[in-house]
Amino acid sequence: MRALPAADLLTSAAVGRDQAEALLLLARDEPGAALAAAQRATAEARDAGMRWEQARGLHLCGLARAADDPAGAADTLRDARTLARQCGALLLERQIGRDLRRLVRGTATLHSRTGPLNGELTAREREIAALVADGLTNRQIAARLFVSEKTVESHLSKAFGKLGVNSRAALAAQVGAP
């Protein structure tokens, strides 16, 4: 496995930071600020050729637009779903599809805490995600739960995929949402 150049790592970190910020602002019901953060993440990902992250950024843009511009949000979510499908991000594609259906039906707040966290994560994944949000390392989580670090890593990997996040910060932002 080859190491990524420092510039790629910095770009990836910036995209993850902006996505986490957008999620946090959505949870705080600040769609305008969330849209700005999501647009930054999307542009950074697009410029770096990070198609999966670009799809995730578009997804966040659609969620942020939902309250003020449902038609524009639906178009953005459709674009995000298409891009997710093209780059093989099937779990992300499904989440976007669910959010799009909710938007079109005009029901339920998009991406609410009762959506992806309680509906998709197992009890153990939620428990580990909460400990990540509390700032614990994998080693500390493993010791607290009397499991191996590999088990913690496995649960985190599954939680990242189910929630469509790529960093502990983004996971913590979703779990720690009010």
Side-chain angles (χ1 to χ4, degrees):
M1 185 169 156
R2 76 175 177 87
L4 289 174
D8 290 347
L9 291 173
L10 290 174
T11 300
S12 181
V15 169
R17 178 202 61 226
D18 289 338
Q19 288 177 349
E21 181 182 354
L23 285 167
L24 184 61
L25 290 165
L26 282 170
R28 291 181 179 166
D29 199 24
E30 298 178 35
L35 179 59
Q39 287 172 329
R40 279 193 313 273
T42 303
E44 291 163 345
R46 182 194 62 236
D47 293 347
M50 301 166 64
R51 296 180 63 208
W52 191 96
E53 296 301 336
Q54 182 182 353
R56 179 71 173 138
L58 284 171
H59 180 207
L60 294 171
C61 287
L63 297 177
R65 284 189 173 122
D68 295 333
D69 180 13
D75 289 342
T76 301
L77 289 173
R78 285 184 192 98
D79 290 344
R81 186 177 58 186
T82 299
L83 184 55
R85 182 180 309 121
Q86 290 171 348
C87 63
L90 301 179
L91 289 173
L92 178 59
E93 178 187 355
R94 281 189 228 136
Q95 178 63 52
I96 295 167
R98 283 190 293 272
D99 286 338
L100 181 58
R101 285 188 297 279
R102 287 183 193 132
L103 176 66
V104 170
R105 284 192 311 246
T107 61
T109 303
L110 295 179
H111 206 65
S112 67
R113 284 253 322 189
T114 57
L117 274 180
N118 295 329
E120 293 182 19
L121 296 186
T122 64
R124 184 61 108 179
E125 289 165 352
R126 283 193 304 274
E127 181 180 23
I128 290 173
L131 292 172
V132 166
D134 289 341
L136 274 67
T137 65
N138 288 2
R139 178 172 285 168
Q140 292 168 327
I141 294 168
R144 182 173 290 186
L145 300 179
F146 303 102
V147 298
S148 73
E149 284 184 66
K150 287 285 189 190
T151 299
V152 172
E153 291 170 11
S154 176
H155 285 298
L156 283 175
S157 177
K158 290 176 186 173
F160 283 7
K162 289 178 179 180
L163 298 176
V165 298
N166 66 347
S167 70
R168 294 171 74 90
L171 179 68
Q174 285 198 19
V175 172

